[in-house]
Amino acid sequence: MVCMPSVQDQVRLVPALYQCATHVSEGSIGKTNDSLSEIKRLSSIVDGPLQRLSQIMADSLARRLLLSCEGLTGSLIHPSDYFEQSSIQSARYNFASLSPYLKTGFATINQAILEAMEVEKVVRIIDLSCSASHPRQWLKLLHGFHGRPGGPPEVRLTVVHDDNDFLANMKALLSKEADMLKIPFQFNDVNGRLETLDFSNLRDVLGIKYGEAIAINCSLQMHRLLVVDDNVSCTAIDQLQKMANAAQLKQMASSVYSPASILNYPRTPSPLLLASFLNAIHTLKPNIMLVMEQDANNNALLFSDRFVEALNYYAALFDSFNAMAAANSQWANERTRVERMILGEEIKNILLCEGVNRHERHERLRQWEMYMDASGFHHVPLSFDAIRECELKLLSFGLNGCQYQVESDSLLLGWSSTRLYSISAWRPKKGSTSGSREHMLVQRQMVWPHC
């Protein structure tokens, strides 16, 4: 006999998570253990997206509490240490195949690149998407160039990634396709991650030659450049954390809803690494730069704010992946792997890590607009054709929950009413010097005053 969950059990799951987070913030091991037992009971009744997410968040809460216990930190095994590297690589690859939003992002970004390179003879594409990079995107772009009136340009692609096998396979696949299409093609690989690149010598690092028309694609990576040492932002931050976390999470636990953060405490300090990166990109004078990012407020200084936002955001994302796998049964097993190895690791980083160890620092589109404007970039409106590509791609999945909207001539992709990803296009302002750190820091301080 199959035990079906009652409506009451499912309604109780979200408040139980808030209650558990409250006990973790208060440092109560006994109460946390009781809450974890209740979450385990409620989430094991049925295998649904909220239940699977709850298990991951409960594990993160338990680990956060243990990290505060003296003598236990060094004995904890990091969750990702359980994963085989080959499994992580497979999950990375299939994340793009399973996600309707990455596929849509690829189609939209490619259309914008084709339009920006309409008359160029030698094109340099810089793929800074690292772990989110996928050969499918560039295969489609090659075919787009192949059908260009007047013939294709010479295409030179530089890909940054930390997996040499991935880079070798991508090079072989794309070179073969370009040869078949009779497109002059050159592939340059850079082993590393975005945050490890030498921004002081980016032209040489990426193999860019003078005279090339440059298009830069950076998907789901720029938030990693927001990393800062949170511990130096306020002298009384520990006390502020405890007071605010307990107050907010208790309020959330008393409701079945999951409202956005209502507290207005200081955010993280100014992101110097991002300023250096955008300064370096500005000096390259790209024809266009495409940015795709998670559209969420996961860069808050307070744990309570991040917990509330992460629960809202990933509940919608898990829901969309569940619907995608339900519509395509062959993705059911891969969905589980992606949820645990990709999304689960993001959640753990958001909830467990602080300071320089927290690199999943997602921001809203409006904040990225401030960063880009302050660094000497002006916004390039996405064209009707690019937006149409987005619409057609989303419709092709046959999922009613997949939505898009145009905001500030950029695109927002979401599930039902929850915004999940943003896509925007940029170009250096004419006549402006490269974005200075000082200019960017002033802009940041105007938006978020420090303690």
Side-chain angles (χ1 to χ4, degrees):
M1 180 178 177
V2 179
C3 182
M4 297 300 291
S6 68
V7 174
Q8 184 181 8
D9 283 338
Q10 295 194 69
V11 167
R12 290 170 59 189
L13 189 51
V14 171
L17 286 166
Y18 285 127
Q19 189 66 58
C20 186
T22 301
H23 297 325
V24 169
S25 294
E26 294 172 342
S28 174
I29 295 179
K31 291 181 179 179
T32 298
N33 186 60
D34 291 341
S35 289
L36 290 172
S37 297
E38 177 67 0
I39 293 169
K40 182 178 180 180
R41 183 188 73 80
L42 293 171
S43 62
S44 62
I45 296 173
V46 67
D47 179 28
L50 179 59
Q51 286 72 22
R52 294 192 299 273
L53 172 62
S54 297
Q55 291 168 5
I56 292 173
M57 299 201 78
D59 180 68
S60 299
L61 290 172
R63 288 178 175 274
R64 185 175 178 90
L65 180 62
L66 291 176
L67 286 173
S68 65
C69 298
E70 187 176 351
L72 284 179
T73 303
S75 62
L76 288 176
I77 300 176
H78 192 278
S80 62
D81 292 342
Y82 291 110
F83 301 144
E84 293 183 0
Q85 190 61 32
S86 59
S87 296
I88 295 174
Q89 292 168 356
S90 176
R92 279 181 177 181
Y93 186 88
N94 286 308
F95 175 54
S97 300
L98 184 61
S99 171
Y101 306 107
L102 259 66
K103 290 178 180 178
T104 301
F106 293 163
T108 306
I109 289 169
N110 281 356
Q111 180 61 34
I113 291 175
L114 288 170
E115 292 170 4
M117 301 298 175
E118 189 174 10
V119 298
E120 302 295 343
K121 299 299 183 184
V122 181
V123 172
R124 169 72 65 175
I125 311 294
I126 306 294
D127 184 6
L128 300 177
S129 302
C130 302
S131 60
S133 180
H134 201 287
R136 178 182 289 109
Q137 178 176 9
W138 307 124
L139 284 170
K140 295 288 187 182
L141 185 66
L142 286 175
H143 280 266
F145 278 131
H146 177 68
R148 193 177 78 168
E154 179 180 347
V155 179
R156 301 171 182 175
L157 174 64
T158 298
V159 180
V160 178
H161 203 284
D162 61 0
D163 184 343
N164 281 323
D165 290 337
F166 174 89
L167 289 168
N169 291 334
M170 180 184 272
K171 179 179 181 179
L173 179 64
L174 295 178
S175 297
K176 181 179 179 181
E177 192 73 11
D179 186 58
M180 184 189 74
L181 296 173
K182 294 181 170 52
I183 296 177
F185 180 73
Q186 176 184 319
F187 186 95
N188 296 87
D189 58 78
V190 178
N191 185 277
R193 298 185 301 275
L194 181 61
E195 62 268 30
T196 65
L197 297 180
D198 180 6
F199 298 149
S200 67
N201 189 30
L202 203 54
R203 181 177 290 274
D204 289 341
V205 169
L206 299 176
I208 299 173
K209 303 294 190 295
Y210 287 97
E212 297 174 334
I214 302 171
I216 296 175
N217 173 52
C218 191
S219 297
L220 313 187
Q221 295 298 312
M222 267 175 50
H223 61 264
R224 300 176 68 90
L225 303 181
L226 295 171
V227 63
V228 291
D229 187 356
D230 298 328
N231 296 324
V232 302
S233 63
C234 292
T235 57
I237 191 60
D238 288 340
Q239 187 63 26
L240 178 63
Q241 284 266 19
K242 291 177 181 178
M243 292 171 60
N245 288 339
Q248 184 178 12
L249 292 169
K250 282 181 178 178
Q251 181 177 357
M252 296 298 102
S254 65
S255 172
V256 298
Y257 299 102
S258 304
S261 173
I262 58 172
L263 298 182
N264 186 26
Y265 288 104
R267 299 288 295 272
T268 52
S270 303
L272 296 178
L273 192 58
L274 178 64
S276 297
F277 169 70
L278 292 177
N279 183 68
I281 292 295
H282 195 289
T283 62
L284 297 177
K285 294 181 171 55
N287 294 49
I288 194 167
M289 178 179 183
L290 284 307
V291 178
M292 182 175 183
E293 275 292 329
Q294 294 92 337
D295 196 68
N297 287 321
N298 286 326
N299 194 25
L301 190 60
L302 300 181
F303 164 72
S304 58
D305 286 328
R306 300 202 305 272
F307 179 84
V308 172
E309 182 73 4
L311 182 54
N312 293 337
Y313 180 87
Y314 286 99
L317 198 54
F318 270 57
D319 227 12
S320 70
F321 273 52
N322 193 68
M324 189 75 171
N328 303 272
S329 57
Q330 69 270 23
W331 289 114
N333 291 334
E334 199 56 46
R335 182 213 64 209
T336 301
R337 184 180 298 179
V338 168
E339 285 178 348
R340 289 190 174 275
M341 296 185 180
I342 306 299
L343 304 182
E345 291 304 294
E346 288 181 9
I347 293 168
K348 287 180 172 65
N349 186 263
I350 292 167
L351 299 183
L352 277 174
C353 300
E354 301 291 349
V356 295
N357 295 315
R358 180 160 58 87
H359 51 256
E360 296 296 339
R361 294 172 174 264
H362 312 147
E363 296 272 22
R364 294 286 190 192
L365 173 61
R366 61 180 177 271
Q367 191 62 45
W368 289 113
E369 290 173 342
M370 293 178 189
Y371 291 139
M372 299 300 288
D373 181 70
S375 296
F377 289 82
H378 77 82
H379 188 238
V380 178
L382 291 172
S383 69
F384 172 83
D385 288 337
I387 294 171
R388 182 62 174 164
E389 281 291 323
C390 166
E391 181 181 23
L392 292 174
K393 197 64 179 178
L394 283 181
L395 286 173
S396 71
F397 301 117
L399 303 176
N400 293 332
C402 283
Q403 305 288 332
Y404 81 94
Q405 69 181 84
V406 180
E407 181 177 297
S408 303
D409 293 316
S410 299
L411 276 171
L412 291 169
L413 310 179
W415 180 255
S416 297
S417 60
T418 303
R419 294 157 45 150
L420 296 176
Y421 296 96
S422 66
I423 302 173
S424 56
W426 305 89
R427 187 177 295 133
K429 295 176 183 176
K430 291 183 178 180
S432 69
T433 57
S434 58
S436 68
R437 291 187 182 185
E438 292 76 12
H439 185 196
M440 188 171 184
L441 298 186
V442 169
Q443 294 292 326
R444 174 79 172 196
Q445 290 165 350
M446 288 172 62
V447 180
W448 293 340
H450 291 174
C451 298

